[in-house]
Amino acid sequence: MYVAVKGGEKAIANAHRLLADKRRGARSVPAMTVEQIVEQLALAVDRVMAEGSLYDKELAALAIKQARGDLIEAIFLVRAFRTTLPRFGHSEPLDTGEMHIRRRISATFKDLPGGQLLGPTFDYTHRLIDFALAAEGETPEPVRSAPRGGAAPRVTDLLNAEGLLEVDEDGDGNVGDLTREPIDFPAGRDVRLQALARGDEGFLLALGYSTQRGYARTHPFAGEIRMGEVEVELFVEELGFAVTLGRLTVTECQMITQFTGSAKVPPQFSRGYGLTFGHSERKSMAMALVDRALRFEEFGEELTAPAQDQEFVLSHSDNVQATGFTEHLKLPHYVDFQAELELIRRMRREIAERAEKAANDADETRAEEAAE
Amino acid sequence: MAVAAIAPGFADPVFDAQKAFRTVMDAMAHPGRVHELQTALAPPAPLSPVAAAVLLTLADFETTLWLGETLTKTPAVADWLRFHTGTVLTEDPGEATFAAIADPMRLPPLGAFAQGTLDYPDRSTTLILQVETLDPSAGPTLEGPGIDGTARLLPAPLAETFWLEARRNADLFPRGVDFLLAAPGKIAALPRSTRIVEGD
Amino acid sequence: MTATSETWSYNFAYLDEQTKRMIRRAILKAIAIPGYQVPFASREMPMPYGWGTGGVQVTASILGPDDVLKVIDQGSDDTTNAVAIRGFFEKTAGVATTTATEEASVIQTRHRIPETPLSETQVLVYQVPIPEPMRYLEPREAETRKMHALQEYGLMHVKLYEDIARHGHIATTYAYPVKVSGRYVMDPSPTPKFDNPKMDNSPALQLFGAGREKRIYAVPPFTQVTSLDFEDHPFAVQTFEEPCALCAAEGVFLDEVVLDDRGGRMFVCSDTNHCEERRAAGHRGRLSGDPTKTEDASQGERP
């Protein structure tokens, strides 16, 4: 006798219990605290906040812990939580020109007002495994110096003053939000930038990289990358002015790219823009490259590469969507498979029957010929 | 606007809205069929309790609402709707997600409302029309999706030109407006997909 | 820190009221324009995209405390995803659930339509992975939207005809495209084409939710749903050579179960509730009886 598979509910509960056990790992090792993750896996926390579209370090850290370090899973947890939060309004645009800078570099000028500030960077480190870290020794305090003082205008503002860079037009104040309205293709730059900011770092990195290798080449220069704290302000109708809600760490990248000019516009530089929560240079740079590539029509360029194709980029950049749909292949599909199975068997049978019939016909013909 | 002067909305915003929605959904799924919709709402007149229930269920800060002439005459109506739904009032019926009309004799030409586009036929106005009676045994014969064979519906009062306009509206399919007809304690729907085949 | 450290309380059926209103508006448009895919601002749900987020959002938006919910996946109430989604609504909405098709007021499904005919008081909510029937032929939304607007469905027919030219018949077995009320070509979700005729003129309201693709569409009750075909190659559903091995049902969709590694297999109802009810009513298939008799297939009783 055959008994249909039952007990899915219990199996699921047991699987989740086992997951919790594996998450905790050996009980002889102290459990990791959320604070430790916030402090010591800060870049992982930043990525989860950026792609989770929610600035909350503790929440992101908790998600990382719950996800056993699987960052896309952690992003997913943060996104699902974000859904349930009420929306009070939207902030004023962040003024990154007023950023409290912790790192700022420009590849296009040797020195510039406000200076180059390396800040905390992996750049120029030798990627040698540091076995001293395993020994958990003390880390020396950093060297601190007094702030250099003076303003640090954005490199793009400096170029703008000479008219060498395309001017970023002020929008009409209506900024799209793809979490509140489905994307309507072709999407405006506001929605595209939002999608890129939430997009998967790896996917955007690969797309940005592809533009450097000739797939929609735009001759980019890292005009400026700056990282630091900016204030978030909310305009309060009742008060008639904006109040500061708090500070965020963001990384901004302004990629300066070539534009050969057109009949109407003399040659000038164009730009690609990247902005992420937290400290994430790779992501913001990749975002800036892709943003520029997606603007090909504005500059009269040909559509030749995936990074320029907004339906392709925007429909596939979200790792929560991508992971869900890829992993849904794990769900049972036996009904559809059964339908396909039936078809394949039938088609094979038909082919076999045709072949047999052809062979029989040939035999008969031969037999007839032989009889003559 | 004094908050104290505003009449209350749904006693239970979650379940009252759910109940009203299911009734409206059933109505939309069965064009012409008259559904009971009981509500304890007491909105400022001439907004009817049933029309008010529909708006509280469906309108919010992401929608725009156009009010017919009779409703705009009493500012308390707009105040009440704004307070409870946060909906954005518009004077342009062509921009309205919803339109509420208390006096069906003074219904503007349907072409004035958003008709949707062939690409996005959903971007059209849903009209909430207050009527006094809904008679399923009289009126024109209706056919189409949601109707098992044929149905009939006679809302009253209605302007003389209503059925002619409604027929033209159906001809626009998939563009066109949808109607929710709100009578006291009752509701029926006439979506654009319904064909008005004979009589009036 | 945020509210995560406290007990976080979610709204009835998880979604906040604003989200429900947005989805409810989309549902009404979908019903008014049968077969047209209404864009909606799908939310990030606590289950992965591709695992029923669209269906879950539709169900959450229509569900009330008096509803009785049934959730199936592949026709079964007991598959892992069906169990998880049913559990989600038990937890967040506290609604009654059932496995009996006729007891349910709302049925959420993935890949099947129950064998028991549905009634006017029921709503069937489909989980849809790719709502656009022409997506595999034309990947661009901007293009397919135009085709729907202009009713240019030639591409779809060309695809089906190419099948005929190559294989002698249409080789689409599931997610078989349909035309709704003579206007929109619609993806019925990846149900086997066996289920397509059940959609036609069904007394139940059929709602389709695609979360990742952010689309909701509907087939109202008593609406004509035609499977695309050609005069010389009319639409036909799958047939099975043997009845269900457990309940002896015929004319139902069967799952193939591999019994051993020597090619032994059996066919059983994909709709587990239908199968259980038949067995409870005394119907017996060839493998449902005494295990000692299973080797002799001829002893299976037929209704």
Side-chain angles (χ1 to χ4, degrees):
Chain A
M1 188 173 86
Y2 174 78
V3 182
V5 187
K6 279 265 179 191
E9 210 144 358
K10 201 169 168 207
I12 292 176
N14 286 344
H16 292 170
R17 195 165 158 171
L18 184 58
L19 172 71
D21 174 75
K22 293 291 173 197
R23 174 190 298 128
R24 177 60 184 85
R27 306 297 198 274
S28 56
V29 177
M32 204 165 31
T33 65
V34 165
E35 288 71 23
Q36 285 172 333
I37 297 170
V38 169
E39 290 299 318
Q40 296 171 32
L41 295 176
L43 298 183
V45 169
D46 283 354
R47 179 171 176 196
V48 170
M49 292 197 302
E51 294 172 36
S53 283
L54 187 68
Y55 196 95
D56 184 330
K57 291 190 179 192
E58 283 81 13
L59 191 78
L62 178 58
I64 291 170
K65 181 175 178 176
Q66 186 180 335
R68 302 178 68 196
D70 179 334
L71 295 190
I72 292 183
E73 181 68 25
I75 290 161
F76 181 12
L77 289 168
V78 167
R79 290 266 192 95
F81 182 76
R82 181 186 184 278
T83 292
T84 65
L85 301 177
R87 166 162 308 223
F88 299 115
H90 51 84
S91 73
E92 295 292 291
L94 299 181
D95 186 354
T96 53
E98 291 293 315
M99 179 185 282
H100 178 78
I101 290 174
R102 287 202 281 138
R103 170 167 163 80
R104 187 261 195 134
I105 54 162
S106 168
T108 51
F109 295 99
K110 186 173 183 201
D111 199 5
L112 64 166
Q116 307 259 16
L117 182 65
L118 292 187
T121 180
F122 290 117
D123 299 349
Y124 322 114
T125 60
H126 296 132
R127 267 62 170 206
L128 303 171
I129 294 277
D130 182 359
F131 292 100
L133 272 180
E136 293 178 27
E138 286 297 305
T139 303
E141 287 297 312
V143 180
R144 295 183 194 278
S145 54
R148 183 163 161 170
R154 284 174 293 215
V155 168
T156 48
D157 294 341
L158 299 173
L159 284 169
N160 248 342
E162 260 189 276
L164 296 177
L165 184 69
E166 58 151 332
V167 180
D168 258 349
E169 306 286 344
D170 271 340
D172 58 3
N174 288 323
V175 179
D177 181 350
L178 60 86
T179 69
R180 314 297 286 187
E181 268 175 65
I183 296 182
D184 184 1
F185 291 111
R189 195 175 175 204
D190 51 345
V191 170
R192 297 199 308 250
L193 285 170
Q194 185 192 13
L196 298 180
R198 288 159 57 90
D200 181 72
E201 181 172 317
F203 178 74
L204 296 182
L205 178 67
L207 278 177
Y209 175 49
S210 72
T211 69
Q212 289 178 277
R213 288 193 66 262
Y215 289 85
R217 178 154 166 71
T218 52
H219 306 270
F221 296 97
E224 181 176 357
I225 294 160
R226 56 169 60 197
M227 182 273 290
E229 280 77 46
V230 290
E231 292 197 334
V232 182
E233 293 184 328
L234 182 79
F235 185 84
V236 182
E237 204 82 47
E238 287 85 348
L239 299 176
F241 56 84
V243 294
T244 302
L245 296 181
R247 293 177 132 200
L248 305 178
T249 300
V250 296
T251 307
E252 180 186 59
C253 171
Q254 300 238 37
M255 218 40 107
I256 296 171
T257 60
Q258 210 176 64
F259 169 48
T260 48
S262 65
K264 283 180 202 152
V265 186
Q268 61 175 184
F269 292 108
S270 57
R271 52 175 139 197
Y273 187 77
L275 184 80
T276 62
F277 281 156
H279 187 187
S280 181
E281 286 174 36
R282 188 188 302 121
K283 167 74 184 280
S284 60
M285 292 176 78
M287 176 176 169
L289 289 172
V290 178
D291 169 49
R292 174 59 183 80
L294 289 171
R295 300 178 63 204
F296 72 99
E297 270 182 317
E298 292 176 52
F299 302 106
E301 294 159 359
E302 294 278 306
L303 171 67
T304 56
Q308 296 169 302
D309 184 333
Q310 62 156 284
E311 277 217 34
F312 178 79
V313 174
L314 268 50
S315 301
H316 304 110
S317 60
D318 190 299
N319 55 26
V320 176
Q321 289 178 6
T323 219
F325 200 49
T326 302
E327 295 197 19
H328 108 284
L329 294 173
K330 291 183 283 189
L331 286 179
H333 280 81
Y334 54 75
V335 164
D336 298 344
F337 187 71
Q338 186 62 50
E340 291 286 88
L341 208 54
E342 190 265 348
L343 177 75
I344 295 283
R345 282 190 183 129
R346 182 149 54 96
M347 292 199 306
R348 288 175 63 92
R349 197 168 54 234
E350 284 166 4
I351 288 172
E353 280 164 8
R354 276 201 296 274
E356 199 180 338
K357 185 169 180 296
N360 287 343
D361 288 352
D363 282 350
E364 275 170 32
T365 316
R366 266 197 299 280
E368 279 165 24
E369 280 168 0
E372 275 170 16
Chain B
M1 145 180 116
V3 171
I6 303 259
F10 281 140
D12 187 329
V14 174
F15 297 116
D16 288 356
Q18 189 274 337
K19 227 177 194 146
F21 170 70
R22 277 292 276 275
T23 309
V24 172
M25 182 177 88
D26 273 352
M28 198 62 109
H30 300 95
R33 192 182 284 185
V34 180
H35 293 256
E36 296 277 321
L37 178 55
Q38 297 301 337
T39 171
L41 288 175
L47 184 65
S48 81
V50 171
V54 172
L55 287 168
L56 256 51
T57 302
L58 296 173
D60 58 30
F61 65 90
E62 291 188 335
T63 63
T64 48
L65 172 65
W66 181 86
L67 294 177
E69 216 182 307
T70 331
L71 290 171
T72 51
K73 274 188 193 149
T74 315
V77 169
D79 288 346
W80 189 84
L81 287 169
R82 249 199 308 252
F83 178 80
H84 287 298
T85 69
T87 192
V88 184
L89 290 171
T90 176
E91 287 178 10
D92 179 0
E95 290 220 320
T97 322
F98 295 103
I101 294 112
D103 181 359
M105 303 302 282
R106 308 176 104 185
L107 176 67
L110 294 184
F113 298 98
Q115 311 285 309
T117 62
L118 278 178
D119 279 358
Y120 292 95
D122 54 306
R123 294 180 182 173
S124 57
T125 308
T126 300
L127 278 72
I128 299 145
L129 209 53
Q130 293 183 193
V131 293
E132 281 159 28
T133 56
L134 289 166
D135 183 355
S137 60
T141 303
L142 311 174
E143 271 183 0
I147 302 173
D148 188 8
T150 59
R152 294 183 76 185
L153 182 68
L154 184 65
L158 278 181
E160 256 176 51
T161 52
F162 179 82
W163 291 113
L164 181 69
E165 281 223 77
R167 252 188 219 116
R168 281 192 193 142
N169 180 61
D171 288 344
L172 284 176
F173 188 89
R175 298 171 67 233
V177 301
D178 305 310
F179 293 95
L180 289 170
L181 304 156
K186 291 184 167 60
I187 193 159
L190 208 55
R192 69 194 80 177
S193 59
T194 301
R195 293 182 295 276
I196 299 148
V197 286
E198 61 181 49
D200 48 79
Chain C
M1 177 151 177
T2 44
T4 42
S5 49
E6 301 142 35
T7 317
W8 184 258
S9 139
Y10 294 106
N11 192 21
F12 176 80
Y14 184 79
L15 294 176
D16 61 284
E17 288 304 298
Q18 201 282 323
T19 297
K20 287 185 195 167
R21 271 193 300 274
M22 177 270 296
I23 294 172
R24 287 168 180 168
R25 291 193 294 262
I27 291 172
L28 294 182
K29 293 285 190 204
I31 296 171
I33 317 167
Y36 166 72
Q37 303 162 47
V38 182
F40 83 110
S42 174
R43 300 292 196 247
E44 320 253 14
M45 297 298 284
M47 62 274 294
Y49 284 117
W51 299 52
T53 55
V56 166
Q57 289 181 77
V58 169
T59 298
S61 301
I62 66 173
L63 211 58
D66 302 333
D67 275 310
V68 180
L69 178 70
K70 171 181 165 86
V71 184
I72 51 171
D73 186 342
Q74 315 292 304
S76 164
D77 299 273
D78 224 38
T79 38
T80 46
N81 203 43
V83 169
I85 290 171
R86 189 166 55 240
F88 175 76
F89 283 112
E90 281 167 354
K91 199 155 121 188
T92 59
V95 293
T97 57
T98 182
T99 58
T101 300
E102 57 274 23
E103 282 173 15
S105 57
V106 176
I107 302 170
Q108 181 168 326
T109 179
R110 178 169 172 267
H111 293 197
R112 275 311 310 278
I113 298 175
E115 305 289 2
T116 308
L118 301 180
S119 76
E120 255 195 61
T121 55
Q122 296 179 306
V123 181
L124 185 58
V125 179
Y126 295 75
Q127 301 172 200
V128 183
I130 304 270
E132 176 47 62
M134 294 176 288
R135 184 59 69 235
Y136 297 115
L137 308 171
E138 170 50 67
R140 277 163 216 283
E141 162 73 16
E143 293 300 318
T144 50
R145 181 165 292 282
K146 249 181 261 162
M147 294 178 190
H148 283 295
L150 303 171
Q151 253 187 298
E152 261 179 25
Y153 294 126
L155 196 60
M156 198 85 239
H157 280 101
V158 168
K159 196 263 160 199
L160 296 175
Y161 207 82
E162 277 173 0
D163 275 1
I164 294 171
R166 240 182 101 199
H167 308 295
H169 42 71
I170 293 169
T172 301
T173 57
Y174 62 92
Y176 190 104
V178 294
K179 195 168 217 181
V180 182
S181 194
R183 176 57 177 84
Y184 283 99
V185 167
M186 185 188 93
D187 184 296
S189 90
T191 47
K193 67 177 179 177
F194 179 88
D195 286 338
N196 277 19
K198 294 180 192 158
M199 306 180 77
D200 181 37
N201 212 35
S202 167
L205 170 63
Q206 303 173 73
L207 299 175
F208 299 76
R212 194 176 37 76
E213 300 279 339
K214 301 178 169 52
R215 297 289 184 272
I216 286 173
Y217 52 102
V219 175
F222 309 111
T223 298
Q224 189 192 49
V225 178
T226 333
S227 302
L228 299 187
D229 63 358
F230 298 95
E231 255 174 44
D232 49 345
H233 287 274
F235 172 81
V237 299
Q238 291 101 335
T239 52
F240 293 86
E241 281 163 16
E242 43 187 299
C244 171
L246 298 180
C247 76
E250 292 184 69
V252 296
F253 196 82
L254 300 177
D255 293 333
E256 182 170 337
V257 180
V258 178
L259 294 173
D260 53 43
D261 56 2
R262 301 181 306 274
R265 55 179 186 242
M266 65 188 278
F267 289 86
V268 296
C269 283
S270 142
D271 184 336
T272 50
N273 169 251
H274 184 73
C275 196
E276 279 160 20
E277 285 185 354
R278 279 182 55 84
R279 275 178 281 152
H283 296 284
R284 288 283 177 274
R286 70 175 176 97
L287 295 182
S288 60
D290 186 337
T292 57
K293 293 179 184 171
T294 55
E295 280 167 31
D296 186 357
S298 65
Q299 289 192 3
E301 172 198 326
R302 295 214 171 206

